[in-house]
Amino acid sequence: MSEMIRNYDVEALVKSDTAHHLHPFTDHKGLHGEGGSRIITRAEGVYLIDGHGERILDGMAGLWCVNVGYGRQELAEAAYRQMLELPYYNTFFKTAHPPSIELAEKVASKLPADFNRVFFANSGSEANDTNLRLVHHYWQSVGKPEKVNIISRENAYHGSTVAGASLGGMKPMHKQGGKLIPSIHHVMQPYWFKLGGDMDPAEFGLHAAKQVEEKILELGPETVGAFIGEPIQGAGGVIIPPETYWPEIQRICKQYDILLICDEVICGFGRTGTWFGLENFGIEPDLITMAKGLSSGYLPIAASGVSDRVADAVMENGGEFYHGYTYSGHPASCAVALANIEIIERERLVEKVADETGPYLAEAIKRFDDHPLVGETRTRGLIGAIELVKDKKTRARFEPDGKAGTVCRDEFFKRNAVMRACGDTMVLSPPLIISKQEIDALFDIAEESLDAAAAKLGVM
Ligand code: PMP
């Protein structure tokens, strides 16, 4: 590898980046004021390496996606081989190629038994777009075209296309979005720590699910086509719902004949110690959104898992599905995703998260429970959260919302570790290959960073 390491003129790169690159989810005025971007040039294992040679412990697996860790030569080789053999051909108009066929079969084999088909896209946003199209196509195919309304949750993240932003419940995105899709409605998220008040978690889980039922009754069940949710909300703040929540949602969807879309973009491919997050809660969806861990981010690829209920109906009665992307089932992306799933299987990463590192993380994070800035810690597998509060007892937050999170995140980054702030919730989602020692190293930095943040916020 070392002969491949390139030397970069970091100052010139920062200057050029500032001049020409509009970054996603970035306040550009703020970024430029702070001297521009940190330039990441390489990565290996769970570490990023910046242009100055600093090693940064990546507690977020990139954007919740690099499940098998960085520097996997066999994934690069899978892409290389496939690009030489067949770099591109589409899967429209009665053609297919070996990698798209093999990957569809492989993914279907990991999904619940009544899922036998997948539809490929390039990003989680696109796959959710596809799922939205499939919901409408399904209800039209079975003669109920009026079931157009979709229910989602506040503060959910389902992508950044118009459909993704509409399905999501992020208020700042909605504000900038102009007229988003008006048939998508949002109800309370099952976020006990913030919204639970005096209820115990079990009671609150039922209360949050009840909001879905009330929304269905308000809109009229005959007009509601689907409910969408992540098993554990990721970007919404790693919201692990109370155990009562999903069974009640499931009951409601069945009672009113509403399709359930399970967004597994973050939870899928081992993150929670199972192949899919739905296995934690007994969720029985009709459509499943996958991306990120499908290829561990080495190449862009996403997929919609389509249950037999939906697939059979649209194939029987639907005619042509007028939908697809030029790069649906891109050969190189499929080849990389296949090799990535092989690594997850061979190295038993799902079992490792379930039996070793997940339980270790759950124990290790408890060291913060007594910290004056911390109101709650929670984990499931290798996804976790630390709630930042002004007052531990009352769960009172700092004003304005998000300030404490930003202070904390910057302290982490200064100390060469990445944890993300979702409002005032610090979240983590490291590569699934992280070792116990690396978890300790991450939390040593977290402790120093929390202390520094507490001093800055006047808590200590
Ligand atoms: N759904 C969920 C749950 C996500 O977390 C994300 C991305 N963070 C998306 C959808 C959108 O995926 P992408 O950024 O690949 O479009």
Side-chain angles (χ1 to χ4, degrees), residues 64 123-126 128 157-160 230 235 263 265-266 291-292:
W64 328 74
S123 67
S125 305
E126 284 184 6
N128 273 328
Y157 190 83
H158 295 298
S160 196
E230 291 175 84
D263 186 333
V265 168
I266 286 178
K292 299 194 190 274

Side-chain angles (χ1 to χ4, degrees), residues 44-47 55 57-59 67-69 72 271 347 349 352-353 356-362 364 382 428-444:
E44 55 195 22
V46 297
Y47 284 93
R55 288 169 67 79
L57 216 172
D58 185 6
N67 287 10
V68 298
R72 294 284 192 164
R271 171 66 48 207
E347 298 184 3
L349 292 180
K352 182 177 152 142
V353 173
E356 269 179 58
T357 44
Y360 190 81
L361 183 79
L382 283 186
L428 87 160
S429 164
L432 306 187
I433 53 152
I434 195 168
S435 66
K436 294 176 184 173
Q437 292 80 355
E438 286 161 343
I439 291 173
D440 288 342
L442 182 66
F443 282 170
D444 287 346

Side-chain angles (χ1 to χ4, degrees), residues 400-435:
D401 189 32
K403 177 182 154 191
T406 307
V407 169
C408 219
R409 185 201 57 205
D410 291 349
E411 292 297 330
F412 274 79
F413 206 34
K414 245 198 275 180
R415 291 173 175 77
N416 284 341
V418 182
M419 269 181 76
R420 187 163 145 189
C422 298
D424 285 340
T425 311
M426 297 304 298
V427 299
L428 87 160
S429 164
L432 306 187
I433 53 152
I434 195 168
S435 66

Side-chain angles (χ1 to χ4, degrees), residues 21-325:
H21 185 187
L22 277 178
H23 291 244
F25 282 100
T26 297
D27 172 351
H28 283 88
K29 202 167 156 195
L31 176 71
H32 298 172
E34 289 160 20
S37 304
R38 189 166 182 177
I39 312 295
I40 307 301
T41 53
R42 288 189 295 127
E44 55 195 22
V46 297
Y47 284 93
L48 306 165
I49 297 149
D50 76 6
H52 300 292
E54 295 276 347
R55 288 169 67 79
I56 305 160
L57 216 172
D58 185 6
M60 284 307 296
L63 281 178
W64 328 74
C65 55
V66 188
N67 287 10
V68 298
Y70 298 97
R72 294 284 192 164
Q73 195 158 339
E74 69 185 275
L75 297 190
E77 282 166 1
Y80 178 77
R81 270 198 312 274
Q82 186 56 49
M83 283 186 190
L84 289 180
E85 193 172 299
L86 179 71
Y88 174 75
Y89 198 68
N90 66 71
T91 52
F92 291 26
F93 315 134
K94 301 183 185 172
T95 55
H97 39 65
S100 64
I101 298 166
E102 285 172 39
L103 182 62
E105 183 177 340
K106 185 60 149 181
V107 171
S109 77
K110 299 290 180 203
L111 293 173
D114 62 327
F115 279 73
N116 287 295
R117 292 185 176 78
V118 301
F119 188 104
F120 289 117
N122 307 289
S123 67
S125 305
E126 284 184 6
N128 273 328
D129 223 300
T130 297
N131 281 338
L132 187 59
R133 300 285 307 275
L134 275 167
V135 167
H136 296 317
H137 190 34
Y138 170 80
W139 288 117
Q140 285 173 15
S141 304
V142 298
K144 293 186 178 174
E146 63 286 354
K147 275 174 98 66
V148 289
N149 285 312
I150 312 287
I151 300 176
S152 177
R153 278 97 56 91
E154 283 153 11
N155 217 23
Y157 190 83
H158 295 298
S160 196
T161 54
V162 171
S166 303
L167 288 167
M170 299 272 170
K171 285 213 174 76
M173 290 175 81
H174 287 188
K175 262 196 212 144
Q176 284 179 343
K179 259 198 164 39
L180 293 176
I181 300 173
S183 53
I184 299 176
H185 310 266
H186 300 86
V187 298
M188 164 193 271
Q189 54 180 160
Y191 187 0
W192 177 79
F193 185 80
K194 187 169 180 184
L195 307 169
D198 295 334
M199 284 182 253
D200 66 35
E203 204 183 338
F204 174 72
L206 293 176
H207 171 75
K210 183 108 185 105
Q211 313 306 307
V212 176
E213 186 162 31
E214 281 175 8
K215 183 56 84 179
I216 292 168
L217 293 172
E218 177 194 319
L219 296 165
E222 68 290 352
T223 72
V224 180
F227 171 81
I228 182 168
E230 291 175 84
I232 293 171
Q233 263 179 288
V238 181
I239 309 304
I240 305 174
E243 294 300 322
T244 49
Y245 181 74
W246 274 112
E248 186 61 4
I249 293 287
Q250 193 73 62
R251 179 196 67 75
I252 293 166
C253 288
K254 286 217 163 90
Q255 179 174 340
Y256 299 102
D257 196 19
I258 285 161
L259 296 178
L260 206 163
I261 309 170
C262 191
D263 186 333
E264 291 273 1
V265 168
I266 286 178
C267 294
F269 299 95
R271 171 66 48 207
T272 66
T274 49
W275 273 93
F276 293 98
L278 56 86
E279 294 161 55
N280 290 275
F281 304 102
I283 305 169
E284 294 171 15
D286 300 289
L287 293 161
I288 296 175
T289 321
M290 294 164 271
K292 299 194 190 274
L294 172 57
S295 65
S296 286
Y298 276 68
L299 280 180
I301 184 163
S304 299
V306 187
S307 64
D308 294 343
R309 172 185 179 180
V310 174
D312 292 349
V314 299
M315 287 189 305
E316 270 306 304
N317 312 310
E320 179 168 343
F321 185 30
Y322 298 107
H323 176 69
Y325 309 104

